[in-house]
Amino acid sequence: MPIDTTPSECPGPVTLKGRYGRIEKLRAEHAASLWDSVQGHNAIWTYMSQYGPFAGAEEFFGWVHQRTALTDPYSYAIMSSADRCVGIATLMEIKPAMRVIEVGHIVYSTALQRTPLGTEAQYLLGRYAFETLRYRRYEWKCNALNAASRSAALRYGFTFEGILRQHMIAKGRNRDTAYFSMLDTEWPIRRANFERWLSPDNFTTDGRQILSLSALNGVTR
């Protein structure tokens, strides 16, 4: 079928506000609170292909400063309701002419993992990519051994497409890469499922979910 060939827009320094927190362009001043959240939790960096864990705050601050200058990947800080940076996510592999973009380089501190904000951050970025920037294809890629990332991709509504064998050398080791995608035609249903899950009435008074996002997206275990 004919396709709108108008190029998509590139990511920019927006602030995406949600119910549980917000996303904003990563800046050097985010480094201190993010370091407080990630230091001592070296397992966070296991499947990062090029960086981490860090020897100390100075090395980490330098890494954050380097990330702020890049346009691809374009880094965003995930901010809690307490105005603390608790994670990073990027929009990357940006192909405006093909209208394809990836969400990646995702760093979730233990304070962000398994929280409504962790899910809301992915909702906000997906909505931005599809509805504001006008991308047709939204990608998620990870080390094929990273079971948690593969499970998260399915939970968020991405479709597994396959594994590229010996795709990369990561920290001196082979990496097979698992590919997932979400399409613009699929986004309206995925958006509705995100919003249903994130609704306050989907949680009990002690914070437990009533409906799971996996179930809403038809993920079977």
Side-chain angles (χ1 to χ4, degrees):
M1 294 178 63
I3 298 297
D4 181 358
T5 58
T6 305
S8 297
E9 298 179 30
C10 289
V14 294
T15 298
L16 308 175
K17 295 181 179 180
R19 180 176 287 115
Y20 303 100
R22 70 182 187 276
I23 287 177
E24 60 190 30
K25 186 183 186 306
L26 182 68
R27 303 188 304 273
E29 52 263 38
H30 291 127
S33 60
L34 184 57
W35 175 246
D36 288 342
S37 297
V38 302
Q39 65 173 316
H41 301 285
N42 288 350
I44 291 171
W45 310 99
T46 299
Y47 291 108
M48 296 298 175
S49 59
Q50 300 174 8
Y51 49 79
F54 298 89
E58 183 177 357
E59 182 182 352
F60 181 77
F61 286 17
W63 175 76
V64 170
H65 179 72
Q66 181 186 50
R67 306 298 288 183
T68 63
L70 301 176
T71 57
D72 187 358
Y74 195 100
S75 299
Y76 292 96
I78 302 171
M79 306 296 293
S80 71
S81 58
D83 209 34
R84 306 272 304 169
C85 182
V86 291
I88 296 176
T90 78
L91 293 176
M92 56 184 284
E93 297 293 330
I94 304 164
K95 302 178 179 67
M98 295 296 105
R99 297 174 60 195
V100 175
I101 199 167
E102 176 184 347
V103 59
H105 292 284
I106 298 168
V107 178
Y108 274 22
S109 71
T110 56
L112 182 58
Q113 295 170 12
R114 298 182 179 276
T115 66
L117 177 57
T119 296
E120 184 176 61
Q122 296 303 323
Y123 160 71
L124 292 171
L125 284 171
R127 189 179 68 181
Y128 178 56
F130 283 120
E131 299 181 17
T132 302
L133 303 181
R134 298 179 55 260
Y135 283 90
R136 302 173 60 237
R137 174 180 167 89
Y138 192 48
E139 297 181 332
W140 178 293
K141 302 168 190 169
C142 64
N143 190 311
L145 296 177
N146 190 346
S149 183
R150 293 178 65 167
S151 177
L154 295 174
R155 176 177 176 267
Y156 294 141
F158 288 83
T159 296
F160 175 62
E161 295 183 324
I163 294 176
L164 271 65
R165 300 178 300 164
Q166 295 190 182
H167 180 233
M168 298 174 62
I169 297 174
K171 296 177 180 175
R173 296 177 180 269
N174 174 65
R175 170 176 148 164
D176 295 347
T177 298
Y179 269 58
F180 299 81
S181 72
M182 189 185 301
L183 305 183
D184 56 350
T185 53
E186 299 164 340
W187 172 245
I189 293 176
R190 300 296 182 251
R191 172 176 176 159
N193 291 342
F194 269 122
E195 292 175 352
R196 178 67 188 90
W197 188 87
L198 289 165
S199 175
D201 64 12
N202 189 43
F203 297 91
T204 61
T205 55
D206 60 354
R208 290 179 297 173
Q209 68 176 1
I210 297 171
L211 290 173
S212 74
L213 186 56
S214 293
L216 289 168
N217 282 323
V219 179
T220 56
R221 300 294 180 181

